[in-house]
Amino acid sequence: MSDRLDVQKTYKTYVGGAFPRSESGRTYKVMDGEGEPLANACRCSRKDVRDAVTAARKAFEGWSGRSAYNRGQILYRIGEMLEGRAGQFAAELQKTGLKKKSAERRVELAIDRLIYYAGWTDKIAQVFGTVNPVASSHFNFSMPEPTGVVGIWAPEESPLLGLVSVVAPVIAGGNTCVVLASESKPLGAVSFAEVLHSSDVPGGVVNILTGRREELTSHLSSHMNINGLLYTDAGFIEQYGKQIEENAALNVKRVAGEAVEDWTDEAQSNPYRVTDFQETKTTWHPVGY
């Protein structure tokens, strides 16, 4: 009798609140910390990027139109659901090479970061909005509003904490997003999609793709229906930063490309990350009439 072979799971993408396979039908192997095959992930294509952007654009009006308080409730719910599956995520991070305590610590920080940004949703307008002095009989207000659809390259070496740290502030501010997961460690992202799916997050608010950055970076950065781009890996900035900035100029996308070395640093809980993808809207209101 021959030894039984393990069935390696093929993880799907997360687009529009569903879990489709890549239209390309291609996959690539994901290795564990020992260099052994761990699972298969979808190798997404330009068509997958287009589908994800369409889903994000469709979800934007509804998500940005919700009250800031409600968005905070939903981010808090994501944190609750992640807490309930903390053991699973810690085990997955250990398979990527982290020690047990380090993996558990990163899961705890990811949960705390979600709660942190949940608390900021209904305070951003108060802290970063202003009432402006004017010479005429008007009230003049300047208030932050979401930019639109944001394309995100998740941190390569921090597949859960880094991912949460870049996605949470973007959606807390009312934007929707298309995320390209870590290429070498994508399982934390696709498992996190299952948490999003069970956390009251409307379909299309967060869309997660997997695949080769070399193949997908140009497609994501040049898409004309994306309004902002976010990436934080120093090596990625060096390799693709100029190309992304040139593509962003085609339709004047906002670009946030600050390198982050340590996502466990408490300084990464920062309300200015929400304002990276906020526009300022000024309103004049007559008084005395």
Side-chain angles (χ1 to χ4, degrees):
M1 182 176 178
S2 61
D3 294 336
R4 180 179 180 277
L5 296 175
D6 293 335
V7 177
Q8 293 178 354
K9 183 176 180 179
T10 298
Y11 286 82
K12 300 177 184 176
T13 64
Y14 183 58
V15 176
F19 294 91
R21 294 180 174 82
S22 169
E23 65 83 29
S24 71
R26 300 175 300 172
T27 61
Y28 70 101
K29 287 191 179 299
V30 179
M31 304 299 183
D32 63 16
E34 304 295 327
E36 296 296 324
L38 180 63
N40 300 299
C42 290
R43 186 174 168 183
C44 291
S45 66
R46 184 172 195 167
K47 175 68 163 54
D48 295 312
V49 172
R50 288 173 174 168
D51 291 345
V53 174
T54 299
R57 177 59 62 190
K58 186 177 179 181
F60 174 71
E61 183 176 353
W63 181 244
S64 61
R66 292 193 179 219
S67 69
Y69 177 69
N70 183 238
R71 289 200 300 270
Q73 288 178 308
I74 292 174
L75 261 79
Y76 192 93
R77 180 63 175 163
I78 301 172
E80 288 180 331
M81 298 302 291
L82 186 56
E83 178 91 46
R85 298 176 60 171
Q88 173 202 338
F89 278 91
E92 286 186 356
L93 291 179
Q94 287 180 70
K95 290 178 182 177
T96 67
L98 289 178
K99 300 294 185 184
K100 182 179 179 182
K101 285 189 177 180
S102 179
E104 291 174 345
R105 177 61 176 155
R106 279 164 173 73
V107 176
E108 291 171 355
L109 286 172
I111 297 165
D112 293 348
R113 208 144 285 174
L114 284 163
I115 303 304
Y116 174 84
Y117 285 111
W120 268 103
T121 55
D122 59 356
K123 300 173 184 63
I124 288 295
Q126 297 174 32
V127 174
F128 295 98
T130 62
V131 177
N132 307 309
V134 294
S136 58
S137 298
H138 294 85
F139 284 128
N140 185 276
F141 307 93
S142 292
M143 304 298 289
E145 292 193 344
T147 297
V149 178
V150 180
I152 300 174
W153 286 262
E156 187 65 27
E157 297 301 328
S158 186
L160 179 65
L161 177 58
L163 171 79
V164 167
S165 299
V166 292
V167 170
V170 168
I171 64 173
N175 300 287
T176 58
C177 61
V178 176
V179 184
L180 182 56
S182 166
E183 180 177 327
S184 61
K185 301 178 177 66
L187 303 192
V190 289
S191 293
F192 185 64
E194 297 173 0
V195 171
L196 294 170
H197 191 63
S198 57
S199 303
D200 303 330
V201 182
V205 172
V206 180
N207 305 275
I208 298 176
L209 303 177
T210 55
R212 304 296 189 197
R213 297 194 167 200
E214 180 179 9
E215 177 181 357
L216 299 176
T217 290
S218 177
H219 301 325
L220 188 59
S221 61
S222 62
H223 199 295
M224 299 301 283
N225 213 7
I226 287 182
N227 308 104
L229 299 171
L230 171 62
Y231 45 93
T232 57
D233 285 343
F236 182 85
I237 294 172
E238 182 176 353
Q239 185 173 1
Y240 295 106
K242 183 178 179 182
Q243 176 191 10
I244 290 176
E245 289 186 3
E246 289 175 351
N247 287 340
L250 296 175
N251 64 334
V252 200
K253 296 179 178 71
R254 277 178 172 264
V255 177
E258 175 192 358
V260 176
E261 294 184 0
D262 183 8
W263 287 104
T264 65
D265 189 341
E266 195 58 33
Q268 298 309 321
S269 295
N270 188 334
Y272 285 96
R273 291 199 175 279
V274 180
T275 63
D276 281 344
F277 294 99
Q278 298 285 291
E279 308 287 345
T280 299
K281 179 180 179 180
T282 297
T283 301
W284 294 73
H285 189 282
V287 295
Y289 296 99

